[in-house]
Amino acid sequence: MSSSNKQAGSLNEKAGISSPEITNASAISQIKNKRRQQPSADELISGILSGNRTALSRAITLIESTNPEHTEKANEVIKGCLPQANKSIRIGITGVPGVGKSTFIEAFGTFLTQLGKKVAVLAVDPSSSLSHGSILGDKTRMEELVKDENAFIRPSASGETLGGVARKTRESIILCEAAGFDTIIIETVGVGQSETAVHSMVDFFLLLKISGAGDELQGIKRGIMEMADAIVINKADGDNIKKANMAKVEFNRALHLFPSKKTAWQPKVTTCSAITKEGISEVWETISEYFELTEQTGYFGEKRKEQNQFWMMETINEQLKSNFYNQPEIISQLEQIKKAVQNNEISPFAAAQLLLDKYKKM
Ligand code: GDP
């Protein structure tokens, strides 16, 4: 008997089970039962609509799966949840690693649940498929919020492409909303294209910054400044308060140089400390003001409609692309044709056309 079997044997004795073989057999049948017990799409839908977090998690796992059967079931669940979605506010939060995103979301999320809100935290981190694990939306980094029964935290889906990860998050938003989460926070890291993807799925976009060596605007991408509805300078505590206030002035000045937004909303700059919680309620005030204004002007609904159209087009593009690259014939010829292009045996355009023509005939 191996040592693990011996251990299992003694545990079984304690539990009143006589033989490890019996346990093994019962464990296997339990697993089989569990497999058999995979909830149906209808069960998942009714679980989600009644606010059951296990059902929500399971459905998101289906969304994230690459198994076509799961995708089909996920689509059914999304369809069933859609009529109950849309009743939330969606807030995007970006910032470079170390700026304090998870500490901020922990403080801000807890502040919101204390106001009686139900908060879901999702993340978009395409690099998670490379690093084999997401650093965003990581539960261990939000210890308090994860225990909060009015919060739901889900790390980033992993995937080969930003488009794929973003689509999965977009679909997960629908399910979270149907489960009654009224405030959806989407976290993304401030590098690469992921901010643009997140910006296109949220109502309000918040850029988290820290005060630097005085030249606050250096290295900050203009595009991100333009996307931001608010800039929050975090870590405004201790010796840092003065610097944070100076940064606030500088960002405010810079923001005034941008053309005003369609919304008539003037982006705001505030300071806060995710650790002392100073300034957290002001962030919420800013966001609430924004929602009040955009609801009044009708911009809120308009933007969501535009975003839905955008996501439809994105999904088509994404699926066409993945369908193309997943065709066995394309897979088998792609490398060879790439080499031919490299060796100037065929032009890149002719090569692309060749493969596309093959694909069209499939
Ligand atoms: P993320 O990578 O953007 O998610 O950043 P984290 O939330 O992991 O924070 C990075 C580091 O900054 C951690 O050591 C935090 O404790 C610290 N930190 C976050 N917010 C604050 C803050 O408001 N004040 C201070 N002094 N430190 C903070």
Side-chain angles (χ1 to χ4, degrees):
M1 197 190 258
S2 76
S3 67
S4 63
N5 266 350
K6 259 188 221 154
Q7 219 173 6
S10 71
L11 284 176
N12 294 336
E13 278 155 27
K14 275 190 200 144
I17 300 168
S18 53
S19 132
E21 282 72 28
I22 294 177
T23 336
N24 284 346
S26 69
I28 290 168
S29 91
Q30 262 179 10
I31 293 171
K32 278 190 178 161
N33 269 339
K34 213 167 170 198
R35 283 212 187 120
R36 245 179 261 132
Q37 280 165 12
Q38 283 298 331
S40 67
D42 281 342
E43 282 166 337
L44 284 175
I45 295 169
S46 63
I48 291 171
L49 295 183
S50 65
N52 180 315
R53 291 196 292 185
T54 311
L56 176 61
S57 283
R58 283 187 149 181
I60 294 180
T61 305
L62 288 179
I63 288 179
E64 290 172 353
S65 166
T66 47
N67 176 334
E69 259 177 52
H70 292 168
T71 308
E72 203 177 303
K73 196 162 161 189
N75 285 340
E76 225 179 293
V77 176
I78 295 168
K79 195 171 157 205
C81 287
L82 205 54
Q84 301 306 321
N86 248 349
K87 294 169 190 148
S88 78
I89 56 169
R90 305 167 185 166
I91 303 166
I93 295 183
T94 190
V96 294
V99 74
K101 288 182 297 303
S102 50
T103 317
F104 175 83
I105 293 172
E106 164 111 327
F108 184 58
T110 309
F111 173 83
L112 293 177
T113 59
Q114 282 166 358
L115 288 183
K117 302 206 169 289
K118 289 191 76 187
V119 179
V121 180
L122 306 172
V124 173
D125 178 13
S127 66
S128 63
S129 50
L130 300 174
S131 58
H132 298 291
S134 168
I135 53 153
L136 295 178
D138 183 345
K139 293 181 181 178
T140 58
R141 295 161 77 235
M142 299 177 195
E143 282 172 14
E144 284 302 311
L145 201 56
V146 78
K147 285 185 252 156
D148 194 323
E149 62 177 32
N150 285 319
F152 174 82
I153 304 176
R154 181 86 182 188
S156 176
S158 57
E160 296 303 314
T161 61
L162 170 62
V165 175
R167 179 182 54 77
K168 290 169 189 177
T169 305
R170 181 74 178 66
E171 291 176 343
S172 303
I173 295 177
I174 294 172
L175 302 193
C176 289
E177 290 178 348
F181 290 92
D182 51 35
T183 312
I184 316 284
I185 295 177
I186 321 261
E187 181 189 7
T188 193
V189 80
V191 285
Q193 288 299 306
S194 56
E195 294 101 341
T196 315
V198 170
H199 181 249
S200 65
M201 62 176 89
V202 297
D203 309 305
F204 187 92
F205 197 64
L206 189 157
L207 170 63
L208 211 57
K209 292 289 296 174
I210 38 174
S211 57
D215 190 359
E216 308 302 347
L217 299 169
Q218 205 168 26
I220 181 166
K221 286 181 265 174
R222 189 192 158 95
I224 294 185
M225 287 276 281
E226 265 172 313
M227 279 192 272
D229 296 302
I231 296 177
V232 176
I233 298 149
N234 189 32
K235 305 198 188 181
D237 44 42
D239 294 344
N240 230 357
I241 297 183
K242 207 168 151 200
K243 272 207 286 186
N245 282 329
M246 275 155 56
K248 178 177 156 177
V249 173
E250 199 174 331
F251 276 117
N252 249 325
R253 204 179 295 138
L255 279 176
H256 276 96
L257 299 177
F258 289 124
S260 57
K261 297 197 169 208
K262 257 206 271 179
T263 35
W265 169 256
Q266 178 59 43
K268 296 227 169 13
V269 189
T270 61
T271 60
C272 86
S273 166
I275 292 207
T276 67
K277 322 263 193 297
E278 193 77 37
I280 294 288
S281 65
E282 282 78 0
V283 174
W284 178 240
E285 270 168 35
T286 302
I287 295 176
S288 306
E289 262 176 53
Y290 175 88
F291 281 109
E292 218 169 283
L293 176 80
T294 54
E295 292 267 18
Q296 252 172 27
T297 59
Y299 180 77
F300 179 87
E302 245 172 68
K303 186 171 171 186
R304 282 213 172 174
K305 276 186 203 153
E306 268 175 32
Q307 287 179 334
N308 280 339
Q309 283 186 357
F310 171 80
W311 281 101
M312 184 192 93
M313 300 309 291
E314 278 291 296
T315 308
I316 293 175
N317 295 345
E318 186 66 31
Q319 292 202 358
L320 279 176
K321 225 161 83 176
S322 85
N323 191 274
F324 173 82
Y325 286 112
N326 284 327
Q327 295 296 332
E329 213 177 314
I330 300 291
I331 295 172
S332 72
Q333 296 194 11
L334 191 61
E335 284 311 310
Q336 206 186 338
I337 295 190
K338 268 189 190 169
K339 276 204 192 98
V341 171
Q342 227 174 9
N343 298 335
N344 279 330
E345 290 159 21
I346 181 170
S347 83
F349 314 104
Q353 201 55 54
L354 193 84
L355 288 176
L356 286 167
D357 286 344
K358 268 190 203 302
Y359 176 65
K360 275 188 226 152
K361 287 187 198 124
M362 280 172 192

